[in-house]
Amino acid sequence: MNILVIGGAGYVGSHTVRLLVRAGHNVTVYDNLSRGHRACVPEGRLVEGELSDRAKLTAVLVEKKIDAVMHFAAFALVGESVAHPAMYYQNNVTATLELLEAMRASGVWRIVFSSTTATYGQPEKIPITETTLQLPINPYGFTKLAIEHALTDYARAYGFGAAALRYFNAAGASPDGDIGEDHDPESHLIPIVLQTALGQRERIGIFGDDYETPDGTCIRDYIHVDDLADAHERAMNLLEPGTNIQVNLGTGKGHSVLEVIEACRQVSGHPIPTTVEARRPGDPAQLVADSSLAQRLLGWTPKYESIDAIVKSAWKWHKSHPRGYAS
Ligand code: UDP
């Protein structure tokens, strides 16, 4: 298929681009490089452009005879969304609606959309199924939920075939260590812990050790980025006009912050000093996926089942790229 990957220079997008190219698809990346990296886009595949530029998107969709869109281009930091909601609503909602209009104008109807566990807010029951009430507690979650609803409505009214994939905690890097996670500033747990192992930080701050969890630290479901990529291709292959699916993507296993740090110690061989800090506002105690629907619908199972395997791949990337793509 001819696939337009919007945000293909970002973390999950770049790993998906690799998988799609290897599967024989004809991939074009559309990215404004505001947070993505030119270095992770295969030669000759990048079109630089804004998500809000409907005319340019329409031209690309037509010229490249695009069959399917994968949309990763979003701001995705909870704290930033609370401080700068306008930026989040503008990009994640308004600009995404421009994309949907460009698709309508050019007759492209398949879309796979990056959604998030943040659409669930503070769920009462773990594991989280797709029927769990979606009640976001921050602007980021609301922007993603708004587009999930738009896709449902566009599928019904305009015959879009849409899949919203609700990621849990994306983690890890490609097994060869060539591409990986590189955010500036970095705020995610595993990269920060591994930067501490590399000596780039003195210690890792644990955001709260008084949660109602066995060791008092927050529990998350870490899912390997290549497993997310695999789910995107599978979801795309399922799309028919009117298809409207939403699925959770996680391993179903929760790991506490302390367990993740311990896994990083084992893998890196570094002691990794820690300090306990205040809770980070808006962090639910536990987020663990029930991904049985994705397994049934997409025939998908995560290949990286253990946190050690996920951390190992991340460590290979961080060791070989101590300053990310700038290395
Ligand atoms: N976390 C932490 N220290 C850090 C960064 C993250 O203790 O420096 C915790 C955070 O509170 C959460 C978990 O690690 O419980 C995962 O956070 P991350 O930002 O990686 O992902 P999120 O769950 O926010 O999407």
Side-chain angles (χ1 to χ4, degrees):
M1 279 207 231
N2 296 328
I3 305 170
L4 187 64
V5 181
I6 301 176
Y11 176 40
V12 186
S14 59
H15 288 77
T16 307
V17 166
R18 260 203 169 189
L19 178 138
L20 294 172
V21 169
R22 285 179 180 170
H25 295 288
N26 183 22
V27 178
T28 302
V29 171
Y30 187 94
D31 201 298
N32 67 2
L33 300 179
S34 68
R35 298 201 172 176
H37 305 276
R38 188 185 297 275
C40 63
V41 180
E43 195 71 26
R45 294 190 186 267
L46 178 66
V47 175
E48 276 184 67
E50 294 296 326
L51 181 61
S52 56
D53 190 343
R54 188 197 301 192
K56 185 162 187 172
L57 276 169
T58 308
V60 173
L61 290 167
V62 172
E63 271 164 30
K64 305 275 184 189
K65 300 187 167 58
I66 295 298
D67 301 301
V69 168
M70 295 198 182
H71 176 32
F72 297 90
F75 296 132
L77 297 175
V78 166
E80 185 180 61
S81 80
V82 175
H84 305 288
M87 192 177 132
Y88 274 67
Y89 283 97
Q90 283 296 339
N91 183 72
N92 295 5
V93 181
T94 308
T96 295
L97 294 177
E98 295 298 331
L99 164 65
L100 300 188
E101 287 311 286
M103 290 174 65
R104 281 210 310 141
S106 51
V108 179
W109 53 269
R110 290 184 190 87
I111 180 164
V112 181
F113 172 64
S114 307
S115 190
T116 168
T117 176
T119 60
Y120 293 112
Q122 305 251 22
E124 283 176 7
K125 258 177 61 187
I126 299 292
I128 301 168
T129 67
E130 288 77 3
T131 55
T132 300
L133 183 67
Q134 286 179 292
L135 204 55
I137 54 166
N138 51 59
Y140 170 56
F142 275 110
T143 62
K144 288 288 179 176
L145 186 56
I147 297 302
E148 282 201 9
H149 285 295
L151 291 176
T152 297
D153 295 334
Y154 277 53
R156 195 183 297 122
Y158 307 133
F160 272 44
L165 307 183
R166 297 179 187 151
Y167 312 162
F168 281 62
N169 285 60
S174 75
D176 54 15
D178 283 353
I179 58 173
E181 193 165 8
D182 179 0
H183 299 112
D184 185 21
E186 188 54 75
S187 67
H188 295 104
L189 180 65
I190 293 176
I192 290 183
V193 177
L194 294 179
Q195 287 169 358
T196 312
L198 283 171
Q200 296 173 350
R201 297 171 188 258
E202 272 185 26
R203 52 179 55 80
I204 163 83
I206 296 165
F207 296 153
D209 67 351
D210 55 355
Y211 285 94
E212 281 184 31
T213 58
D215 67 21
T217 64
C218 286
I219 292 176
R220 295 288 179 274
D221 183 339
Y222 296 87
I223 174 79
H224 195 276
V225 64
D226 278 347
D227 282 323
L228 293 179
D230 177 31
H232 283 74
E233 194 199 8
R234 290 170 186 271
M236 180 188 70
N237 289 336
L238 275 186
L239 299 179
E240 301 286 344
T243 305
N244 171 36
I245 57 178
Q246 298 86 25
V247 293
N248 290 339
L249 296 178
T251 62
K253 290 184 199 135
H255 295 282
S256 71
V257 173
L258 288 179
E259 285 170 354
V260 170
I261 295 171
E262 192 49 40
C264 293
R265 287 189 180 118
Q266 295 301 325
V267 167
S268 69
H270 191 277
I272 309 181
T274 61
T275 170
V276 176
E277 297 179 6
R279 289 183 177 196
R280 186 170 65 177
D283 267 345
Q286 283 199 54
L287 294 171
V288 179
D290 178 333
S291 290
S292 50
L293 184 63
Q295 304 200 0
R296 275 203 311 281
L297 272 182
L298 312 182
W300 171 84
T301 36
K303 294 185 184 72
Y304 288 78
E305 289 184 46
S306 75
I307 191 70
D308 287 0
I310 292 174
V311 167
K312 252 181 214 153
S313 70
W315 179 234
K316 188 162 181 180
W317 155 254
H318 285 283
K319 246 190 341 189
S320 57
H321 297 78
R323 277 173 299 286
Y325 287 103
S327 302

